[in-house]
């Protein structure tokens, strides 16, 4: 079954020389070749303010630069987020993007006592691809992948996106070309599968 896949590049540096960009390109190429429809958002190229109050989040307008991003999320039935682990979490720019686009009335019911009764983005799946300097096993077992679990549960799951799979890639600072090629091949396989 062919999917409508939205790739969200969360690396805050728009310079395409990072591993996150290479992983995204490998995924996109294989997905397109397999017949999936692929759209892309590069968060670092968007100009938007950070939210500074609950009132703005609940009642403010989504910034014009992000209205298209909301349309793309509605269009997609599978999302893939790529980002490096910074200070144990996603970069602030990606978090700011998610806060802006996942507003009440778009991502879940607005004004109800229990917003969980209407998760407006149900019916979509996701994959989270995270690069990091530490070994991925240390992050997964010692740190319990806390920030990725928070993203999966408190943002993606909160708005109805499920299932969410993850790909954790560690030791990127020491990564040699054979290991890089292995991860790019893994992204190609996932892209072809639309997974």
């Amino acid at each position: 079954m062919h999917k409508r896949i939205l790739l969200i590049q969360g690396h805050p540096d728009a310079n395409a020389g990072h591993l996150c960009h290479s992983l995204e390109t490998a995924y996109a190429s294989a997905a397109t070749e397999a017949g999936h429809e692929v759209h892309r958002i590069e968060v670092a190229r968007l100009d938007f303010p950070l939210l500074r109050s609950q009132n703005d989040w609940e009642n403010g307008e989504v910034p014009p630069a992000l209205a298209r991003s909301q349309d793309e999320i509605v269009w997609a039935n599978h999302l893939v987020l790529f980002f490096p682990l910074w200070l144990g979490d996603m970069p602030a720019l990606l978090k700011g993007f998610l806060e802006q686009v996942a507003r009440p009335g778009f991502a879940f019911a607005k004004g109800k006592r229990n917003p969980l009764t209407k998760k407006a983005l149900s019916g979509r799946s996701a994959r989270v691809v995270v690069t990091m300097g530490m070994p991925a096993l240390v992050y997964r077992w010692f740190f319990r992948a806390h920030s990725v679990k928070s993203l999966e549960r408190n943002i993606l799951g909160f708005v109805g996106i499920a299932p969410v799979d993850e790909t954790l890639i560690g030791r990127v600072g020491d990564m040699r070309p054979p290991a890089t090629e292995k991860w790019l091949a893994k992204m190609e396989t996932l892209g072809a599968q639309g997974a």
Side-chain angles (χ1 to χ4, degrees), residues 9 21 23 84 91 96 104 113 158 164 167-168 175 188:
Q9 179 56 254
H21 295 95
L23 296 166
R113 285 183 172 217
F158 185 79
V164 178
T167 302
L168 305 178
M175 194 172 285
E188 290 172 351

Side-chain angles (χ1 to χ4, degrees), residues 6 13 15 19 24 26 30 35 38 46 54 57 60 87 109 112 134 136-137 150 156 158 164 174 184 187 194:
L6 177 60
D13 183 355
N15 176 356
L19 180 59
E24 177 194 6
V38 176
L46 300 174
Q54 181 177 350
W57 183 65
L87 295 175
K112 293 193 172 189
M134 75 177 83
L137 281 175
S150 176
L156 300 175
F158 185 79
V164 178
D174 301 330
L184 294 174
M187 286 297 110

